[in-house]
Amino acid sequence: MNTAKTMKSAAFAFMLALALGACSNGNGGTGKTYAGGGQNTNVSQPAVLTESPYQLAGSEEGAADFAAINTGYESPFTNDTCWNITPGFVSENSEFTVFKYASSNETFVMYDGAAYPIGGGYGGDGVTSMALADLTGDGVYELCYVYSEDSILRVGYFDPAQKTANELSGSFSGQPVMLSSEGNTLTVCAAEVSNYESLLEMTLTAGEKLAEVTIGDGAPELKMEEK
């Protein structure tokens, strides 16, 4: 298992090496980026919240308590440690708390007293970027996130009204990506990675826009940028 983990880390490091320096910062600066979201004009929509640079950082706050109650999950790794990776803007503006296991990369959101798995982890990188946006038009934030399965990166969201994790159609490969915003739209951008220590510690800066999240047939979907 240690060998598999080392190979996975090496593969991720190689992917980062391909992306480093290849993307410029498309947000024109640092700090939080805000954009209005939602489609239902009869409901007041909260602003989309993202960050660039995005600081993925694990802390011990609440992690041991979460691991103790998350009895439905059994890691395939011995002594797999759990970390709190909730960004400040998520904890300050929602009731979501996000935890990630260091070896398996399995990621969970704690909401309303229960734990829900989000994204892929084992065999992939787990959740590496998050945003808050109202993708269902009910005036309430969904937790949006980027995660990977093997070398494929996808976008998903947790709907607190239904208490379900959902995956958007479409995927990315060959480079790291992150959530960002452009005007009133939640977007997916190539990510320039710096300060990389592990899949729990890195800095992501938004670069070239790759896709945007739109509402199609009443459900959110990815609209890829034309090349």
Side-chain angles (χ1 to χ4, degrees), residues 14-174:
F14 175 73
M15 184 175 68
L16 296 185
L18 292 176
L20 284 174
C23 305
S24 61
N25 183 357
N27 282 352
T30 62
K32 293 184 179 179
T33 305
Y34 300 93
Q39 300 295 318
N40 186 348
T41 57
N42 295 321
V43 177
S44 178
Q45 302 296 326
V48 173
L49 299 182
T50 68
E51 281 188 341
S52 180
Y54 179 93
Q55 304 291 334
L56 177 63
S59 76
E60 296 180 348
E61 183 178 359
D65 292 337
F66 173 79
I69 66 173
N70 191 26
T71 56
Y73 173 66
E74 184 175 348
S75 174
F77 294 90
T78 303
N79 299 322
D80 196 355
T81 54
C82 180
W83 296 86
N84 185 335
I85 62 166
T86 314
F89 71 91
V90 170
S91 61
E92 293 166 7
N93 295 280
S94 75
E95 297 180 8
F96 304 124
T97 310
V98 186
F99 297 92
K100 185 175 182 178
Y101 288 81
S103 298
S104 67
N105 297 318
E106 293 290 350
T107 312
F108 295 81
V109 57
M110 187 75 176
Y111 177 75
D112 197 22
Y116 301 89
I118 57 175
Y122 187 57
D125 298 335
V127 169
T128 51
S129 172
M130 286 175 263
L132 291 176
D134 177 14
L135 301 184
T136 61
D138 61 358
V140 177
Y141 278 132
E142 277 76 53
L143 177 69
C144 310
Y145 48 87
V146 169
Y147 69 99
S148 73
E149 296 175 333
D150 296 321
S151 61
I152 304 301
L153 292 103
R154 304 183 187 277
V155 177
Y157 68 96
F158 177 79
D159 183 351
Q162 302 298 323
K163 296 183 178 178
T164 57
N166 305 272
E167 180 181 293
L168 301 187
S169 60
S171 62
F172 308 88
S173 62

